[in-house]
């Protein structure tokens, strides 16, 4: 079933993430998609993640489709203005890409071309709003009519942990009002903090209008965890997680990371309003079966058909 | 204080007449725009985008954000409220939230802001406001769609 149908049916959804390569080949994407096909409903294809040049997300999405898996094409506001973004949606839709994940995007300063002009012509709320209007009202931002209109399932991202924390559920509310039908969150390490955010999300009724996928990542080493905490904008890692990983022998760190991720999957699955998980395993897709098997041994909610 | 001024300066016939006169005269317009620039830069960190959101963003200019986000903070804000791009600065949206909350105006931050019209950079937003060109900058309801509305673009 498609991601849209999975979320509509109310059964537990699982998505993962593929980073396209720095090079003119889709081979690695095809291999990654093939290994994930039996485990996830759909897979994100990142849009020059971290402001580093990679193969385009629309091209990666086509490769994922050809490998028999549903892509979620990421679209950031960092590199393209409103003309290019609307044009990209038309192209993606015409070629059968349905899921579009809209995000502001990292600043170019963090990537391999720090001198690039930051575009940010639209923000993520405005882009969602524009894409939804193209689909539902059949018009561009200019007001000109589209024939035929694109078909798409629109996603957003949110970081429940970044200041101003009290405003984060409201911010998702703006994205839902603008057109978001599903949301993937930043890494959840601090489950109680995530649960507090979910309470606000439920108070606003957002879980009824938007599929909430909790971001869960498997870490392979203490160094990877430190990198995430120190270098990836917006990621908070509680000290408990470090203690737990350090307590395991170094050759068992990766296995411990998978176990930890599986536990977080189980914990967030118990929170009312959570529709599924987004496994943030960018270059580590072989961890996905382990996480889901570990989580599924005590939890059978997503066992149907997999 | 700014919120009180906001009430006093609401577009009325008098302001519309006055702003039309100012716009009609080159030197008056330059002087007026310069005054706006000076005042708002010092008080609110204004960037002169010409389509002012200050009344509904806790009187903090969102164009001071390195990503110029008009609908709220990005996901990269540091745990201490710092900007992810310039960690020595505070996130403008953390400031906006604090000030709006302090004034009991958090509801303002839910409004949906339409895209910036980049032709208006450097213009006086006060004149645009009194002339009624700013009426569709934001809305509480996204339902009519974004495509039909940027009629205020002229």
């Amino acid at each position: 079933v498609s991601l849209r149908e999975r979320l509509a049916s109310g059964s537990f959804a699982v998505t993962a993430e593929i980073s396209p390569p720095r090079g003119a080949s889709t081979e690695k994407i095809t291999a990654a998609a093939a290994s994930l096909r039996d485990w996830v409903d759909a897979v994100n294809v990142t849009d020059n993640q971290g402001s580093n040049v990679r193969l385009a997300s629309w091209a990666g999405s086509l490769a994922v489709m050809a490998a028999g898996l549903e892509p979620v094409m990421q679209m950031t506001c960092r590199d393209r203005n409103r003309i290019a973004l609307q044009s990209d949606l038309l192209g993606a839709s015409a070629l059968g890409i349905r899921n579009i994940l809209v995000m502001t995007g990292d600043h170019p300063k963090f990537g391999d071309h720090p001198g690039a002009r930051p575009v940010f012509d639209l923000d993520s709320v405005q882009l969602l709003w524009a894409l939804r209007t193209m689909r539902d009202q059949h018009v561009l931002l200019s007001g000109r009519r589209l024939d035929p209109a694109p078909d798409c399932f629109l996603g957003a991202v949110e970081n429940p942990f970044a200041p101003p924390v009290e405003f984060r559920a409201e911010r998702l509310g703006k994205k839902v009002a603008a057109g978001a039908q599903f949301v993937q969150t930043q890494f959840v390490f601090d489950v109680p903090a995530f649960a507090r955010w979910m309470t606000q999300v439920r108070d606003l009724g957002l879980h009824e209008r938007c599929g909430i996928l909790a971001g869960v990542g498997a870490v392979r080493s203490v160094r990877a965890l430190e990198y995430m905490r120190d270098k990836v904008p917006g990621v908070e890692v509680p000290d408990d997680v470090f203690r737990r990983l350090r307590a395991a022998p170094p050759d068992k760190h990766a296995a411990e990371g998978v176990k930890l991720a599986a536990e977080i999957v189980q914990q967030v699955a118990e929170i009312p309003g959570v529709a599924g998980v987004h496994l943030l395993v960018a270059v580590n897709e072989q961890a996905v079966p382990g996480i889901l098997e570990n989580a599924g041994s005590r939890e059978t909610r997503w066992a149907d058909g997999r | 204080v700014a919120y009180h001024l906001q009430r006093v300066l609401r577009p009325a016939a008098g302001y519309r007449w006055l702003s039309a006169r100012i716009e009609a005269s080159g030197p008056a317009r330059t002087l007026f725009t310069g005054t706006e620039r000076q005042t708002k830069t010092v008080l609110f960190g204004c960037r002169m985008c010409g389509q002012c959101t200050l009344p509904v963003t806790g009187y903090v200019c969102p164009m001071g954000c390195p990503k110029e986000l008009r609908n709220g903070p990005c996901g990269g804000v540091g745990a201490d409220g710092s900007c992810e791009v310039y960690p020595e600065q505070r996130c403008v949206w953390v400031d906006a939230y604090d000030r709006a909350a302090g004034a009991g105006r958090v509801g303002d931050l839910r409004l949906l802001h339409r895209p910036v019209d980049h032709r208006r950079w450097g213009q006086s937003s006060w004149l645009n406001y009194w002339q009624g060109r700013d009426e569709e900058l934001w809305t509480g309801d996204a339902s009519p769609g974004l495509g039909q509305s940027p009629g205020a673009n002229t």
Side-chain angles (χ1 to χ4, degrees), chain B residues 12-66:
Chain B
Y15 291 125
R16 206 164 300 133
W17 174 83
L18 180 69
S19 58
R21 295 295 299 268
I22 294 170
E23 280 201 316
S25 147
R29 185 184 187 140
T30 307
L31 186 70
F32 187 83
T33 307
T35 309
E36 176 175 345
R37 185 191 305 268
Q38 292 293 332
T39 318
K40 290 201 331 195
T41 304
V42 171
L43 288 177
F44 310 116
C46 166
R47 304 292 163 119
M48 288 302 281
C49 70
Q51 43 222 299
C52 195
T53 70
L54 286 171
V56 292
T57 54
Y59 282 94
V60 176
C61 177
M63 303 312 269
C65 163

Side-chain angles (χ1 to χ4, degrees), chain A residues 82 105 109-110 120-123 126 129 132-133 137 140-141 143 159 163 166-168 170-171 174 177 233-234 236, chain B residues 67 69-71 73-75 77-79 84-85 97 109-111 113-116 118 139 142 145-147 150:
Chain A
R82 63 193 80 177
K109 186 189 159 184
F110 296 104
F120 303 113
D121 182 31
L122 303 182
D123 65 28
Q126 292 159 352
W129 194 359
R132 197 206 66 196
T133 305
Q137 261 96 29
L140 294 168
L141 265 167
N159 185 347
E166 320 79 55
F167 186 62
R168 288 292 164 178
E170 295 274 14
R171 171 132 173 91
K174 292 182 75 161
E236 295 300 321
Chain B
K67 299 179 184 175
L69 300 182
R70 285 168 82 93
N71 277 295
C74 76
V77 184
E84 69 163 6
V85 183
Y97 183 86
L109 304 182
R110 285 182 208 125
L111 295 165
H113 290 258
R114 294 199 169 86
V116 169
H118 291 283
T139 171
L146 190 51

Side-chain angles (χ1 to χ4, degrees), chain A residues 161-165 234-236, chain B residues 76-84 86-91 94-95 98:
Chain A
F161 313 106
V165 172
V235 178
E236 295 300 321
Chain B
V77 184
D80 57 353
S82 59
C83 170
E84 69 163 6
Y86 303 109
E88 65 284 1
Q89 292 175 16
R90 246 167 92 79
C91 166
V94 170
D95 279 342
D98 287 349

Side-chain angles (χ1 to χ4, degrees), chain A residues 133-200:
Chain A
T133 305
M134 288 171 72
R135 182 192 64 199
D136 295 350
Q137 261 96 29
H138 302 200
V139 287
L140 294 168
L141 265 167
S142 64
R144 293 184 105 171
R145 288 199 70 76
L146 288 165
D147 182 27
D151 179 18
C152 52
F153 187 57
L154 296 173
V157 298
E158 188 50 72
N159 185 347
F161 313 106
V165 172
E166 320 79 55
F167 186 62
R168 288 292 164 178
E170 295 274 14
R171 171 132 173 91
L172 176 61
K174 292 182 75 161
K175 292 183 177 184
V176 172
Q181 297 164 289
F182 69 99
V183 61
Q184 296 170 334
T185 75
Q186 184 57 279
F187 286 96
V188 177
F189 286 112
D190 188 346
V191 177
F194 177 74
R196 285 195 293 277
W197 177 74
M198 276 305 300
T199 305
Q200 290 179 300

